[in-house]
Amino acid sequence: MQQLKLNISWTSLLLACMLCINYSFAQEDDAIAKDWQKMNASKDQDYVDYNDAKFGMFIHWGAYSDLGGVWKGKKVPKLGEWIMYHGQIPRDEYREVCRNFNPVGFNAEDWVKLAKDAGMKYIVAMTKHHDGFSLYNSDVTDFNIYDYTSFKRDPIAEIYEACKKYDIRLGLYYSHSIDWMDGGDAGYAQEKKLNPDHDDHYGANLWDPSPFSYEEYFETKAKPQMREILTKFPDLIEVWYDFPRFINRQQSYEFYKLAYDIQPNCLICSRVGNYLGDFLTAGDNQIPTTITTEYRTWETPGTLNNTWGYKCYDNDWKSFEEVLYWIVEIASKGGNYLLNIGPDGKGYVPEESVKLLKQVGKWMAINGEAIYGTSRWETFREGPTRMEMKSTTDREEHGFDLEFTPQDFWFTKKGNVVYAISLSSELKDKLTIKSLSAVAPNIERIDILGNQQNLKWEAKNNIVDIWLNQADNTSEAFKNGLVLKVTFKE
């Protein structure tokens, strides 16, 4: 009988302890949620400014670019910037790769002017990727391009100044959770301790691990570098944390708050982890099929071929028509498109990328009004052509073979204007749009961007017919379709 009472006492004590622990965690989570909500809610105008920009340039560039996807004479599969991981390159050997990095062709103004010419409104540049090598002059570690190489320049500082010169907003990327050189194991041990059966260690350096624990890396490198970056480069449009993997809620919160305390108007992407970002970062090369309601806005990061960091043998370049599709499809759903360039190890942007972005810029110069500063209309598209963009791998495997028809339209809105965007090269004298029929009584006029004409139109039988025979179809406005500006009565 005494033994039974003792067991009951121990059970009660254990249960009480568990309840206390759970209550403590709940209180902590509740405090994090309340504090995060307060910080997040203070950024209303920053969301507007960011979402109005709509189109930006991502830049993946570092010592891995010098390898070009090749290690010791062999092509290393998968992403160029992950070559240290996929090639299982020892840390000492990779340090030599970084020491020899000498991008003599790097010119910040060339990169920023290319973004400007492409119609991009902001740039997200790389301060440190998963390899742990910093692309700016850091006082936290000498493992950076200024101290560790013969280059002796600070590319991020030069990009920062060029962005100010050309009126381009700057955001900065920082791999906070993964650092194959100094970052422990990407939090794998931390996760394993909580869940002993867990055996997914993707992203962790287990082939030549750093002697630092995950927590030591945060305290001695990641957090100090983020404080340094945010102090050195004020007025950032966003901070692009990446690949949180096993980071816990408290750690994600600390990285969010760290940025907020120094730059309270800077937006933080969702890859800070644990749903504590300001905006959703969709999957790589992914266009959401449904619009999330968890975040006030979102962004798709995309590539011009099938990698982010330069690979000398990846020549599967997206076409001009495909890039227009990504821009228009994303804008019609209310998101931003962050399109990546991968300069080579000398600092030169591949010529295919340059030509393509300049083509995009010509289209945006005429039709950008239908992209910048717009939001989602009640219908984001109509027409028979459909394609799901699921991931980088999916795009690489299936390619892009859409043929846009005269019945395909994407819609955006701004004030009392709705834009109907066509990407078809086979437009005839008359267009028919179903989605405008319900609002036809309020239409005041219909014009073509870049070819302003008060076009003749007629609503009947749940459609709106629009005649183009008044327009000059030889003008630039008719290349790769056109954009109709539908103005409604005030």
Side-chain angles (χ1 to χ4, degrees), residues 4 75 127 132 152 161 190 284 372 460:
L4 178 60
K75 294 178 180 178
T127 61
K152 299 302 177 191
E161 293 302 321
Q190 175 177 281
D284 294 351
Y372 309 124
K460 62 178 182 179

mmCIF file of all heavy atoms in Angstrom, residues 4 75 127 132 152 161 190 284 372 460:
data_model
loop_
_atom_site.group_PDB
_atom_site.id
_atom_site.type_symbol
_atom_site.label_atom_id
_atom_site.label_comp_id
_atom_site.label_asym_id
_atom_site.label_seq_id
_atom_site.Cartn_x
_atom_site.Cartn_y
_atom_site.Cartn_z
ATOM 1 N N LEU A 4 2.330 1.865 -3.434
ATOM 2 C CA LEU A 4 1.351 2.442 -4.343
ATOM 3 C C LEU A 4 1.250 3.939 -4.137
ATOM 4 O O LEU A 4 1.231 4.718 -5.078
ATOM 5 C CB LEU A 4 -0.011 1.768 -4.136
ATOM 6 C CG LEU A 4 -1.165 2.311 -5.001
ATOM 7 C CD1 LEU A 4 -0.825 2.130 -6.481
ATOM 8 C CD2 LEU A 4 -2.462 1.586 -4.648
ATOM 9 N N LYS A 75 32.153 17.534 -62.781
ATOM 10 C CA LYS A 75 30.940 18.314 -62.592
ATOM 11 C C LYS A 75 30.214 17.824 -61.337
ATOM 12 O O LYS A 75 30.017 16.623 -61.155
ATOM 13 C CB LYS A 75 30.012 18.172 -63.802
ATOM 14 C CG LYS A 75 30.570 18.763 -65.090
ATOM 15 C CD LYS A 75 29.599 18.541 -66.244
ATOM 16 C CE LYS A 75 30.147 19.117 -67.541
ATOM 17 N NZ LYS A 75 29.231 18.859 -68.688
ATOM 18 N N THR A 127 25.414 38.667 -48.664
ATOM 19 C CA THR A 127 26.484 38.971 -47.710
ATOM 20 C C THR A 127 27.213 37.707 -47.274
ATOM 21 O O THR A 127 28.429 37.720 -47.087
ATOM 22 C CB THR A 127 25.941 39.687 -46.464
ATOM 23 O OG1 THR A 127 24.994 38.845 -45.791
ATOM 24 C CG2 THR A 127 25.279 41.003 -46.841
ATOM 25 N N GLY A 132 29.654 30.089 -45.588
ATOM 26 C CA GLY A 132 30.220 30.832 -44.470
ATOM 27 C C GLY A 132 31.155 31.959 -44.846
ATOM 28 O O GLY A 132 31.638 32.689 -43.969
ATOM 29 N N LYS A 152 40.762 42.775 -51.687
ATOM 30 C CA LYS A 152 40.844 43.953 -50.824
ATOM 31 C C LYS A 152 39.808 45.029 -51.155
ATOM 32 O O LYS A 152 40.094 46.227 -51.107
ATOM 33 C CB LYS A 152 42.251 44.582 -50.888
ATOM 34 C CG LYS A 152 43.367 43.662 -50.436
ATOM 35 C CD LYS A 152 43.146 43.174 -49.010
ATOM 36 C CE LYS A 152 44.219 42.191 -48.574
ATOM 37 N NZ LYS A 152 43.887 41.510 -47.309
ATOM 38 N N GLU A 161 26.361 51.718 -52.380
ATOM 39 C CA GLU A 161 26.515 53.076 -52.919
ATOM 40 C C GLU A 161 25.927 53.196 -54.319
ATOM 41 O O GLU A 161 25.320 54.214 -54.662
ATOM 42 C CB GLU A 161 27.995 53.466 -52.923
ATOM 43 C CG GLU A 161 28.598 53.631 -51.541
ATOM 44 C CD GLU A 161 27.870 54.680 -50.698
ATOM 45 O OE1 GLU A 161 27.472 55.716 -51.254
ATOM 46 O OE2 GLU A 161 27.707 54.454 -49.480
ATOM 47 N N GLN A 190 20.554 19.706 -32.265
ATOM 48 C CA GLN A 190 19.490 20.350 -31.487
ATOM 49 C C GLN A 190 18.157 19.663 -31.734
ATOM 50 O O GLN A 190 17.393 19.389 -30.816
ATOM 51 C CB GLN A 190 19.429 21.833 -31.872
ATOM 52 C CG GLN A 190 18.312 22.632 -31.252
ATOM 53 C CD GLN A 190 18.397 24.099 -31.637
ATOM 54 O OE1 GLN A 190 19.178 24.858 -31.091
ATOM 55 N NE2 GLN A 190 17.586 24.515 -32.614
ATOM 56 N N ASP A 284 11.569 28.036 -54.077
ATOM 57 C CA ASP A 284 12.423 28.447 -55.190
ATOM 58 C C ASP A 284 11.738 28.122 -56.518
ATOM 59 O O ASP A 284 11.310 26.997 -56.753
ATOM 60 C CB ASP A 284 13.768 27.719 -55.128
ATOM 61 C CG ASP A 284 14.581 28.116 -53.912
ATOM 62 O OD1 ASP A 284 14.191 29.059 -53.208
ATOM 63 O OD2 ASP A 284 15.627 27.465 -53.663
ATOM 64 N N TYR A 372 3.944 47.740 -61.610
ATOM 65 C CA TYR A 372 4.339 48.483 -60.410
ATOM 66 C C TYR A 372 3.124 49.077 -59.703
ATOM 67 O O TYR A 372 2.231 49.643 -60.337
ATOM 68 C CB TYR A 372 5.291 49.625 -60.760
ATOM 69 C CG TYR A 372 6.472 49.243 -61.612
ATOM 70 C CD1 TYR A 372 6.721 49.883 -62.823
ATOM 71 C CD2 TYR A 372 7.356 48.244 -61.210
ATOM 72 C CE1 TYR A 372 7.807 49.552 -63.610
ATOM 73 C CE2 TYR A 372 8.451 47.902 -61.992
ATOM 74 C CZ TYR A 372 8.661 48.561 -63.194
ATOM 75 O OH TYR A 372 9.747 48.215 -63.980
ATOM 76 N N LYS A 460 -21.865 42.719 -74.284
ATOM 77 C CA LYS A 460 -23.078 41.988 -74.625
ATOM 78 C C LYS A 460 -22.871 40.513 -74.308
ATOM 79 O O LYS A 460 -21.742 39.992 -74.349
ATOM 80 C CB LYS A 460 -23.437 42.152 -76.101
ATOM 81 C CG LYS A 460 -22.387 41.616 -77.061
ATOM 82 C CD LYS A 460 -22.827 41.771 -78.509
ATOM 83 C CE LYS A 460 -21.754 41.179 -79.442
ATOM 84 N NZ LYS A 460 -22.151 41.293 -80.862
#
